[in-house]
């Protein structure tokens, strides 16, 4: 006795782009706020330990590399600026020739900043136990690296989506660039928050003595 198996094709309903955009707008702002509060703890620790200065151990002959700090800041700001230019000049007008090159530059700068953060952590000439400043320096830099790697991954997925010419919601309407809009707006919010955090910690860790 033979039986014939019938093939069942499951067709998934594409999500409404307006719902997707609303969810991303709310989600990224909640997440960005949570990230900012994480780093707010290091800001508090910096000023509290600096004011307390127990046994004069706040900052003992510690001078981190100004070159790494400034280069990292410039790469982060550059990645954020190039991505915003790509989003406004290319994505908003569905201009692939503007979107892809500027997004690629933003990704390269983002990767460079991640590499510089790793170099900061591995080549700093003082241990994490060398006073309060050293603890804040290593903790803040390590977390900046972790959260910035998320930004690098996000940029890579956006670029990969346009290089393939498709997106996960291509069936909805419009072209791939149009459909990447909500994700790009959310990514820009995250990049802007990370750039602001990087700027604050550059001032704290490299400029304030």
């Amino acid at each position: 006795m033979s039986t014939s198996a019938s093939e069942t094709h499951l067709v998934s309903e594409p999500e409404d782009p307006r719902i997707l955009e609303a969810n991303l707008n709310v989600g990224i702002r909640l997440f960005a706020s949570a990230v900012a509060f994480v780093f707010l703890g290091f800001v508090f620790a910096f000023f509290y330990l600096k004011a307390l200065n127990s046994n004069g151990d706040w900052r003992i002959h510690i001078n981190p590399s100004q070159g790494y700090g400034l280069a990292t800041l410039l790469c982060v700001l550059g990645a954020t600026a190039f991505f915003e230019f790509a989003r406004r000049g290319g994505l908003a007008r569905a201009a692939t020739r503007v979107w892809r090159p500027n997004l690629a530059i933003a990704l390269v700068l983002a990767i460079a900043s991640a590499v510089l953060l790793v170099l900061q952590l591995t080549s700093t000439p003082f241990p994490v136990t060398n006073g309060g400043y050293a603890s804040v320096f290593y903790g803040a830099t390590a977390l900046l690296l972790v959260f910035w790697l998320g930004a690098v991954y996000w940029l890579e997925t956006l670029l990969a989506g346009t290089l393939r010419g498709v997106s996960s919601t291509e069936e909805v309407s419009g072209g791939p660039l149009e459909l990447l809009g909500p994700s790009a707006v959310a990514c820009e919010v995250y990049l802007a928050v990370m750039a602001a955090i990087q700027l604050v910690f550059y001032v704290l860790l490299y400029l304030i003595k």
Side-chain angles (χ1 to χ4, degrees):
M1 180 177 180
S2 60
T3 59
S4 59
S6 60
E7 295 184 357
T8 303
H9 298 281
L10 298 178
V11 180
S12 59
E13 288 281 338
E15 187 174 18
D16 190 328
R18 293 171 296 179
I19 297 177
L20 174 64
E21 183 176 3
N23 290 339
L24 282 172
N25 283 337
V26 173
I28 191 58
R29 282 159 176 79
L30 290 174
F31 181 70
S33 300
V35 172
F37 271 101
V38 169
F39 286 97
L40 188 61
F42 286 97
V43 175
F44 172 78
F46 179 91
F47 287 107
Y48 176 76
L49 294 175
K50 186 176 187 297
L52 192 62
N53 194 20
S54 299
N55 300 318
D57 290 340
W58 158 246
R59 187 168 181 169
I60 311 170
H61 306 294
I62 292 176
N63 292 299
S65 173
Q66 288 279 352
Y68 281 141
L70 182 59
T72 303
L73 175 63
L74 292 178
C75 285
V76 169
L77 294 177
T80 304
F82 271 100
F83 182 79
E84 177 63 10
F85 179 74
R87 188 182 69 83
R88 290 181 178 271
L91 189 61
R93 297 181 298 176
T96 306
R97 293 182 179 179
V98 177
W99 164 252
R100 286 178 180 170
N102 286 285
L103 179 55
I105 295 173
L107 178 59
V108 170
L109 289 173
I111 294 173
S113 60
V115 172
L116 288 168
L117 285 170
V118 172
L119 292 175
Q120 283 178 314
L121 291 171
T122 56
S123 64
T124 301
F126 53 85
V128 67
T129 56
N130 197 11
Y133 173 89
S135 300
V136 174
F137 179 88
Y138 276 97
T141 304
L143 273 183
L144 280 169
L145 174 61
V146 170
F147 284 108
W148 187 250
L149 286 176
V152 173
Y153 176 75
W154 201 340
L155 290 173
E156 189 278 332
T157 57
L158 287 172
L159 180 60
T162 57
L163 289 177
R164 291 193 305 268
V166 297
S167 70
S168 59
T169 56
E170 189 178 19
E171 299 87 354
V172 182
S173 62
L177 290 186
E178 178 186 350
L179 297 174
L180 288 174
S183 181
V185 172
C187 183
E188 177 59 28
V189 172
Y190 185 66
L191 288 175
V193 170
M194 291 303 301
I197 292 173
Q198 180 67 43
L199 178 59
V200 168
F201 278 93
Y202 175 76
V203 173
L204 294 181
L205 299 176
Y206 295 94
L207 299 184
I208 296 180
K209 301 296 184 180

